Amino acid sequence: MLNNTSIITIERFILEQERNFPEATGELTNLLYDIALGTKIVAAAIRRAGLVNILGSAGATNVQGEEQQKLDVFANETLKSAMTHTGRVCVMASEEDEEIISIPAEYRAGKYAVLFDPLDGSSNIDVNGAVGTIFSIYRRVSPEGEGTLADVLQAGSEQVAAGYVMYGSSVMLVYTAGNGVHGFTLDPTFGEFVLSHPAITMPPRGKYYSVNESNFARWGKGVQRAVRGFHGDLPDLIPGKVSRYIGSLVADFHRNLIAGGIFLYPGDAKNPRGKLRLSYEAAPMAFIAEQAGGAATDGTRRIMDIAPSELHQRIPLVIGSAEDVAFVSRMIAETPE
Ligand code: AFP
C-alpha cells in the first residue's frame, strides 16, 4: 500500500504546496498536521461514543450559556494539547473557553495564533448526527512573548489558513491556505487523511438552501423575501431551490460546498446578531467559501472584512454559491422593513 504513489497524504500534499513558497519554514505544515492529529483522536472518540456510554452533558455550561456535552470537553482538551507543546503557537482561543488560552512560557515563541470550535453542532451527537471541528490560523501580530487578544481579534482577511473536519459517514478534513480548497478523507485502515477532493469549487448558483425556517416570523422582510424566492415564489427573480437543514454548520456548509447552495443564519427580532460566532464559525467558513469561488456576508458586509471587537462575537451569516449570496444581499437592500 505505501509504495502506491497515487495516495497523497495530507502531510505530503501540504509539503508539496509549501515548495511553491521558498521562504516557508514548514511551521504551518506542521501546525496543520498537529490539528489533523487532534481531530483524528476526536474522530475516534466520536465513533466510540455510543459504545462506551460517554454521551450526555458534562454538567457545565459554556460561555454562550449552552449546555456542554462530554465530547465537547474532550474535543476541546484534545485540540489544546495537540498544539500547546509544539512551539508553533503563541496563543489559542476556543469557542468553549471564555478567555484566550495562553501557552506555557517555554513553548510560546510560535508565530501563529489558532482559533477553533472544537465540536460544532454538538446537539446532534445524541442522535448520531454529523458534527465538526472548525479552525482558523492567523499570524501573530504581538511582539515576542505571550500571545495577546490582538493576535486572535484579527479580521478574517488576515487568516493564513482555515478548515474544518466533518465527522460524518466518513471523516473529512477540508482546508485552505489561500491557494484553493482541498478535501481529504480519513482512511480508517491506516489512520491517515488522504487527498480525495483536490481544488474544490462551488457552482455559482446552487440547488440547495439551508436555514432554520422556524425563525421565519422573526426575520426582517428582506430575508423573508429571499427565502420566499428559494421556495420558488419569485420565479422572475430566482428559480426555486431544495431545502436541506441539519443544524450542524459544518455538515450544512459541506453539502453546499460540494453540491452548490446557500446557508443562512440571519439575525432576527430576538437575536439581531444571529447565533453563529464571527471568529470560530463565520470567518473560517468565509475564507473557504471565497477560495472555492463562493461568497460570505452578514447580509450587507463581506464577512472577511469584519474585525471582531470581542472574542465570542456573534454575526449573521449568509454563505455559499456567489450568485445566491448576492441575491440575498439584493433582497435585503431592496426590501423596505
Ligand atoms: P450546537 O453546537 O449548539 O448544536 O449549535 C450548532 C450551531 O452553532 C451550528 O453548527 C448550526 O448551524 C446552528 O448552530 C444551528 O442552530 P439552530 O439549532 O438554531 O438551527
Side-chain angles (χ1 to χ4, degrees):
M1 177 78 81
L2 277 179
N3 62 8
N4 183 345
T5 51
S6 67
I7 293 179
I8 300 178
T9 64
I10 189 163
E11 190 184 20
R12 175 175 157 194
F13 183 85
I14 302 170
L15 277 168
E16 280 176 11
Q17 294 261 309
E18 271 208 350
R19 287 220 182 97
N20 301 324
F21 301 94
E23 70 284 5
T25 59
E27 215 171 316
L28 181 64
T29 303
N30 289 331
L31 176 54
L32 287 164
Y33 202 66
D34 296 337
I35 295 172
L37 174 64
T39 62
K40 281 195 270 187
I41 297 169
V42 173
I46 290 172
R47 245 194 329 267
R48 285 195 308 269
L51 297 170
V52 295
N53 198 26
I54 58 168
L55 288 178
S57 169
T61 53
N62 69 10
V63 290
Q64 318 290 342
E66 295 157 346
E67 203 179 355
Q68 278 188 354
Q69 309 276 320
K70 276 184 180 170
L71 275 170
D72 289 23
V73 179
F74 178 80
N76 197 27
E77 294 309 319
T78 302
L79 285 166
K80 281 194 240 177
S81 58
M83 289 182 277
T84 300
H85 305 285
T86 60
R88 300 189 244 279
V89 175
C90 66
V91 65
M92 293 185 283
S94 163
E95 201 218 308
E96 297 291 340
D97 285 87
E98 195 161 353
E99 309 290 345
I100 52 173
I101 303 156
S102 66
I103 305 289
E106 61 270 43
Y107 303 113
R108 65 174 60 138
K111 61 179 175 193
Y112 293 111
V114 181
L115 293 89
F116 54 91
D117 182 351
L119 207 62
D120 188 66
S122 51
S123 54
N124 279 287
I125 293 169
D126 285 344
V127 295
N128 207 7
V131 289
T133 294
I134 307 172
F135 61 90
S136 173
I137 302 174
Y138 293 85
R139 207 162 272 118
R140 80 180 294 167
V141 290
S142 62
E144 290 160 34
E146 189 164 17
T148 67
L149 203 52
D151 295 314
V152 293
L153 290 185
Q154 301 187 55
S157 54
E158 300 300 321
Q159 288 172 102
V160 174
Y164 61 81
V165 175
M166 178 171 155
Y167 310 102
S169 46
S170 55
V171 179
M172 264 197 82
L173 186 152
V174 174
Y175 92 101
T176 182
N179 192 13
V181 177
H182 311 286
F184 301 80
T185 302
L186 183 65
D187 186 324
T189 55
F190 56 93
E192 267 294 2
F193 284 108
V194 294
L195 184 64
S196 53
H197 295 65
I200 299 169
T201 54
M202 259 180 148
R205 177 155 280 182
K207 176 174 168 192
Y208 299 110
Y209 79 98
S210 313
V211 66
N212 185 342
E213 297 220 35
S214 66
N215 298 325
F216 190 96
R218 292 197 298 268
W219 293 335
K221 295 210 164 38
V223 174
Q224 288 181 338
R225 187 151 172 248
V227 172
R228 285 205 181 93
F230 298 151
H231 291 170
D233 293 348
L234 306 172
D236 296 343
L237 296 180
I238 193 164
K241 297 190 184 297
V242 175
S243 167
R244 291 280 185 278
Y245 190 71
I246 294 170
S248 179
L249 175 63
V250 169
D252 282 312
F253 177 83
H254 185 73
R255 179 198 329 97
N256 296 338
L257 177 72
I258 302 294
I262 183 165
F263 172 95
L264 299 89
Y265 210 111
D268 61 40
K270 205 166 85 186
N271 301 302
R273 297 182 103 172
K275 176 182 181 189
L276 304 183
R277 294 84 179 165
L278 174 55
S279 300
Y280 308 107
E281 293 171 309
M285 292 310 208
F287 190 18
I288 296 167
E290 289 193 2
Q291 283 289 316
T297 73
D298 69 348
T300 50
R301 298 172 296 170
R302 178 177 172 241
I303 291 289
M304 294 276 278
D305 289 336
I306 305 172
S309 50
E310 54 186 271
L311 210 45
H312 296 282
Q313 186 171 327
R314 294 177 194 264
I315 191 96
L317 180 62
V318 181
I319 189 166
S321 291
E323 288 178 20
D324 295 326
V325 172
F327 171 74
V328 174
S329 302
R330 200 179 123 207
M331 292 301 101
I332 291 172
E334 291 178 359
T335 313
E337 284 302 322

